[in-house]
Amino acid sequence: MLMEAQSAYRTIKVQPQETGFGAEVTGLDLARPLAAEVLAEVKAAWAAHAVLAFPDQPLTLDQLEAFTLQMGPFGADPFIKPMPGRPNVLELRREPDEKATNFGAGWHSDWSFQPEPPSATILRSEVTPPVGGDTLFCDAARAYEALSPTMQAMLAPLQAIHSAARPYGTKGIFASETAGRTMQIITSPEAEKTERHPLVRTHPVTGRKALYVSPVYTVGIEGLAEPEAEAILGFLFKHLTQEAFIYRHRWRPGMVLMWDNRCTMHFAEGGYDGHLRLMHRTTVAGEVPA
Ligand code: SIN
């Protein structure tokens, strides 16, 4: 059973967000190895709330890596040059004078084109702009549960096709939009590979079902003609991104955010031209979606 009430937590304070999706977690220090009971409660809160914000966590990169490894082994991050000497840390940096679209500016679940996409992404804010730069999350489990039983039954046997081609392919967005980007993105024919995953996946910890598609990485549905797949996916993307399923995360410097890619999508909003935004990101390996 999931621990949803604060009384269920002995070592940490878990404050659910007002949207009923996501929570803020305080009363712990992520810079040190977490005691077994604290780690178990963090994992329980993460299962219950999917997006956890830990404010005021001044972590070094070593400490960010160490916290990540307490959640599981690192995931593999393709197509983006990692930080020098830190193969598992990405620096998401956008300079004040950058004109290129900000990284992550489309709804997606991280690396869903991989055979085993990451379970968690962990993002720490170093420098946050005074305006804009929010990250939006959608609750793909609640969105699934809001569908009619007839629609759920129709979606149940479908396999969605995922690919990194749209952003990272040789004709992808990043291949044509290279001007003045600080982050080093590696476009490649590798990105054109496809992977199929259940369109509705079951969370391995909670058993909850969630829609597992995104406008950035889902390129079709197995066995359906393109216009048929487009109609279904178009409906699902609109359904998923309704206000009722969204949590808007407003950053402050020194926050750690950990989200579950198995039951959420996210979108990095821009709106901070003229200001530096600097984040460090790691991923935790996941499993074959089922
Ligand atoms: C991402 O990981 O997609 C970017 C999130 C962000 O920069 O807010």
Side-chain angles (χ1 to χ4, degrees):
M1 162 129 175
L2 297 177
M3 291 194 257
E4 299 205 45
Q6 173 54 42
S7 58
Y9 301 97
R10 240 180 42 85
T11 65
I12 57 175
K13 185 163 184 309
V14 178
Q15 178 65 49
Q17 305 291 358
E18 279 169 13
T19 52
F21 163 48
E24 183 165 284
V25 181
T26 51
L28 75 177
D29 180 2
L30 297 184
R32 299 162 188 228
L34 300 178
E37 190 184 356
V38 180
L39 183 60
E41 291 197 351
V42 167
K43 287 183 176 173
W46 187 47
H49 299 284
V51 183
L52 297 185
F54 303 90
D56 307 319
Q57 297 288 345
L59 305 188
T60 63
L61 291 175
D62 283 345
Q63 289 164 340
L64 175 65
E65 288 178 326
F67 170 59
T68 304
L69 288 171
Q70 288 174 86
M71 297 303 298
F74 289 123
D77 291 318
F79 308 127
I80 301 168
K81 202 165 171 202
M83 293 189 75
R86 297 200 184 260
N88 299 296
V89 183
L90 300 184
E91 184 163 270
L92 312 191
R93 183 183 191 107
R94 191 169 185 274
E95 296 290 344
D97 59 353
E98 260 187 65
K99 298 286 173 268
T101 313
N102 61 289
F103 179 73
W107 284 105
H108 63 285
S109 170
D110 285 330
W111 310 148
S112 69
F113 51 83
Q114 293 181 328
E116 297 180 7
S119 55
T121 301
I122 299 174
L123 190 60
R124 198 188 107 82
S125 50
E126 304 295 338
V127 180
T128 57
V131 288
D134 294 351
T135 310
L136 276 59
F137 290 87
C138 94
D139 184 341
R142 212 199 280 177
Y144 170 77
E145 287 157 9
L147 294 169
S148 66
T150 306
M151 183 56 127
Q152 290 178 348
M154 193 195 91
L155 298 177
L158 299 181
Q159 296 284 322
I161 313 293
H162 298 248
S163 161
R166 281 183 191 139
Y168 302 109
T170 49
K171 295 194 180 84
I173 294 161
F174 289 118
S176 57
E177 199 207 60
T178 50
R181 187 182 290 284
T182 310
M183 286 178 64
Q184 292 184 41
I185 295 182
I186 306 146
T187 54
S188 153
E190 273 291 293
E192 276 123 50
K193 284 186 179 162
T194 58
E195 194 64 49
R196 65 202 272 281
H197 294 307
L199 189 149
V200 176
R201 73 179 286 187
T202 304
H203 195 284
V205 176
T206 66
R208 268 180 103 188
K209 290 183 175 174
L211 293 167
Y212 192 57
V213 287
S214 76
V216 173
Y217 295 134
T218 310
V219 295
I221 298 177
E222 197 170 67
L224 295 192
E226 214 174 294
E228 295 169 338
E230 269 175 20
I232 294 174
L233 291 171
F235 162 75
L236 291 175
F237 298 154
K238 213 165 143 202
H239 175 73
L240 275 157
T241 54
Q242 289 175 81
E243 199 57 39
F245 307 130
I246 305 289
Y247 161 60
R248 171 180 288 274
H249 181 71
R250 295 192 165 87
W251 291 95
R252 298 191 298 277
M255 283 185 121
V256 171
L257 195 71
M258 176 168 74
W259 63 83
D260 194 326
N261 288 300
R262 300 167 293 191
C263 55
T264 65
M265 281 199 300
H266 60 280
F267 174 96
E269 209 173 59
Y272 54 93
D273 282 4
H275 304 284
L276 174 67
R277 185 174 186 269
L278 174 58
M279 325 284 275
H280 289 124
R281 194 182 108 148
T282 56
T283 53
V284 178
E287 56 285 295
V288 176

